[in-house]
Structures are given as structure tokens and as C-alpha cells.
Amino acid sequence: MSGARIGIESYRRRQGFWNAVESPFVVHLVLFLAVFFVTAPLVWELLTSFKTNQAVYDLTYFPRNPTLESYHIALVERGFWRAIVNSIIISTASTVAVMALGTPAGYVFSRYRFPFDNLVFTFVLFTRLFPPIGLVVPYYRIMGLAGLLNTRVGIVVANVYLWLPLVVYIMRNFFITIPKELDEAARVDGCTKLQAFRHVVFPVVLPGFAAGTILTFLYSWREFLFAFTVSTDLSSMTIPVATYLFVGDTSIQWASMAAAAVVATIPSALVVFFFQRYIVVGLTGGLKR
């Protein structure tokens, strides 16, 4: 067999393989498996929340006698509703603080040159690369010295530290996409620097601002490690920490934990459902604008 013939046969085999991979059947099968892999734990959790704690050990897929007892135990008897209130307050306050600091910081990094500006920006991002577990001890000591243990303020401070670099990065990328000539045109028309930022530049980056706001709220809503470190009292405890309380020394209240997890998931799911476009834009750092 000639070399040309061998090459043609090899090409046909490769082409046949890729035609099979890209066939509608394979594509739909992969998508189905991906969706199943993501949603199966959530469905299992939802079904478990309608069981009693005793019924969980029956090892049945569906609850034989669906009940809201676990929701009553979690929300009323264990006071989980207070954790919901705390999470709303803490996530909102964290988001406001992060966006108030991160937006002007991103603008400065995108517009102004100063000594070691790139090094400072890299350092801001570098702080986010530390494993959070390595910062728990100094954070706990600082909050203790400041008298902020078991307070909402202590958790807000942690969230600001965790998510501010992300927002600075997102907002800087959005501001970079806006021509500097827009600022200069506003200055020529008589605006001060602050007025040019407020009335001309900022309205253009509102999609980026919305993305940063949504991501910060979601991340603050689910943050566990630092909230667990600071708070041991239900008066300041957030949802993830309160959910962990259903893990006892000798047993786990699976049904009550599932009910609490379902309640904790609903706000995040609604935010993702209604604002998914802004979340995608934020994660891509404005590159698609």
C-alpha cells in the first residue's frame, strides 16, 4: 500500500471518530450527564427535606409520607430564621462596603499611573491567593482584640477582605474598555474629575457594577470559614454556619440539615436565575463587552 493511500485511510479514521463525537446523540448524552451530575444532589437534598429524621435511614429515594416537620424543626425550633436575617444583613452590608471601595479603586488603577502601580495592583490580587485557612488564626486574634467576635461587623470585615480584590479586578477591566477620551471630553465641557466619573464614566460601566454586586452578594451569602471562626452565637451566625449545627457529636440530623440547606439555596438560586447574564459578564471581566 502506498504512503498516500495510508494517509487517506488515517484521515478517514480520524474524521470518522470526530463525526461520531460531534453527532447529536453524543452531544445530547454529554449535556444530559452534565445536567444530571449538577442537579442530582440538589434533587436528593430537596426530597430528603420532606422526610423526618428517622425516615432518612429508610434509604428510599422518595419520602413515603412527605412532611414539613424538618422545616419546622430547622426554622422554628432551632431558630434558623435568625441565621437567615443575619445572612441578609451581613451579605448586604458586605456588598455595599466592597462596591463602595472596589469601584473607585478599579477606576484609579485603570486611569492613573503612579510609582509601582502595577506592583500595587498585583499585590492586591496576590492577597486573594493565600489559602483562607492560613489566615484564620490571625483573623481570629485581630477580631478578638477589636472586640468583634460574635458580631455581624466581624463577619462583614472578613467578607470585605475576601471579595474586595475580585471587585477591583472586575471594575478595572470594565473601566479599561472605556476610552480615556470620554473623561477628557467631560473635563472640556466643564466637569470636575469626580463629576466626569459620576455622570459620564460610571453609567457606562453599570453592567460591570451590577456583576460585581451580584457576585459579592453570592460569595458573602455562602462564606463559611471566617463566619464559623468569628461566630459561635446564633445572634450573629450566618446560614452556612447555622446549617452546620445540625451535625452533632454522635449523629447528624440529615432531614433538618436538608431543609435548612434548601431554604439557604433559594435566594442564591433566584439571584442566579434573574441575573445570570450579569454574572457571566462579571466572570469574564468585561472581555465580551
Side-chain angles (χ1 to χ4, degrees), residues 142-212:
I142 293 172
M143 292 298 105
L145 293 174
L148 295 177
L149 293 178
N150 289 320
T151 65
R152 295 167 180 162
V153 176
I155 304 175
V156 170
V157 172
N159 287 332
V160 171
Y161 170 78
L162 289 172
W163 312 127
L164 182 59
L166 173 67
V167 169
V168 172
Y169 174 77
I170 291 175
M171 296 309 298
R172 174 182 176 271
N173 285 352
F174 272 92
F175 283 122
I176 286 177
T177 62
I178 301 173
K180 294 182 180 178
E181 288 75 12
L182 197 63
D183 305 49
E184 296 170 357
R187 296 291 304 280
V188 171
D189 289 340
C191 290
T192 63
K193 291 183 179 179
L194 182 60
Q195 289 172 333
F197 170 79
R198 178 182 175 184
H199 298 295
V200 178
V201 179
F202 181 71
V204 181
V205 298
L206 275 179
F209 185 83

Side-chain angles (χ1 to χ4, degrees), residues 6-267:
I6 295 175
I8 293 174
E9 291 298 327
S10 176
Y11 171 79
R12 286 178 176 174
R13 283 196 296 271
R14 290 198 302 270
Q15 194 64 33
F17 171 77
W18 285 113
N19 287 339
V21 170
E22 296 173 356
S23 66
F25 173 77
V26 175
V27 171
H28 285 88
L29 178 63
V30 171
L31 291 175
F32 172 79
L33 292 176
V35 172
F36 177 81
F37 183 77
V38 172
T39 59
L42 298 176
V43 174
W44 185 285
E45 180 184 78
L46 181 63
L47 294 175
T48 303
S49 69
F50 292 114
K51 299 178 181 178
T52 62
N53 285 315
Q54 291 76 17
V56 172
Y57 297 98
D58 293 341
L59 300 180
T60 57
Y61 291 104
F62 298 97
R64 295 175 178 173
N65 299 302
T67 177
L68 296 177
E69 178 185 333
S70 298
Y71 288 91
H72 178 76
I73 294 174
L75 293 173
V76 181
E77 295 183 9
R78 300 294 296 270
F80 192 75
W81 64 271
R82 298 180 67 180
I84 298 175
V85 174
N86 290 333
S87 284
I88 293 174
I89 295 174
I90 291 171
S91 299
T92 303
S94 301
T95 303
V96 171
V98 168
M99 297 311 300
L101 296 173
T103 302
Y107 180 73
V108 169
F109 280 119
S110 70
R111 287 294 192 271
Y112 297 96
R113 301 277 71 85
F114 51 86
F116 308 108
D117 53 345
N118 288 328
L119 183 63
V120 173
F121 179 69
T122 303
F123 179 76
V124 171
L125 299 182
F126 186 74
T127 57
R128 193 63 190 87
L129 300 180
F130 286 108
I133 189 67
L135 303 173
V136 164
V137 173
Y139 173 74
Y140 179 82
R141 291 290 298 164
I142 293 172
M143 292 298 105
L145 293 174
L148 295 177
L149 293 178
N150 289 320
T151 65
R152 295 167 180 162
V153 176
I155 304 175
V156 170
V157 172
N159 287 332
V160 171
Y161 170 78
L162 289 172
W163 312 127
L164 182 59
L166 173 67
V167 169
V168 172
Y169 174 77
I170 291 175
M171 296 309 298
R172 174 182 176 271
N173 285 352
F174 272 92
F175 283 122
I176 286 177
T177 62
I178 301 173
K180 294 182 180 178
E181 288 75 12
L182 197 63
D183 305 49
E184 296 170 357
R187 296 291 304 280
V188 171
D189 289 340
C191 290
T192 63
K193 291 183 179 179
L194 182 60
Q195 289 172 333
F197 170 79
R198 178 182 175 184
H199 298 295
V200 178
V201 179
F202 181 71
V204 181
V205 298
L206 275 179
F209 185 83
T213 301
I214 294 168
L215 290 175
T216 304
F217 184 87
L218 290 177
Y219 290 152
S220 301
W221 183 268
R222 73 179 191 183
E223 202 284 324
F224 173 79
L225 181 60
F226 285 83
F228 178 73
T229 302
V230 169
S231 179
T232 58
D233 191 282
L234 198 57
S235 62
S236 59
M237 201 170 285
T238 58
I239 286 177
V241 182
T243 303
Y244 181 73
L245 294 182
F246 292 106
V247 179
D249 294 332
T250 58
S251 64
I252 301 176
Q253 300 180 41
W254 292 108
S256 300
M257 178 184 285
V262 170
V263 174
T265 304
I266 292 175

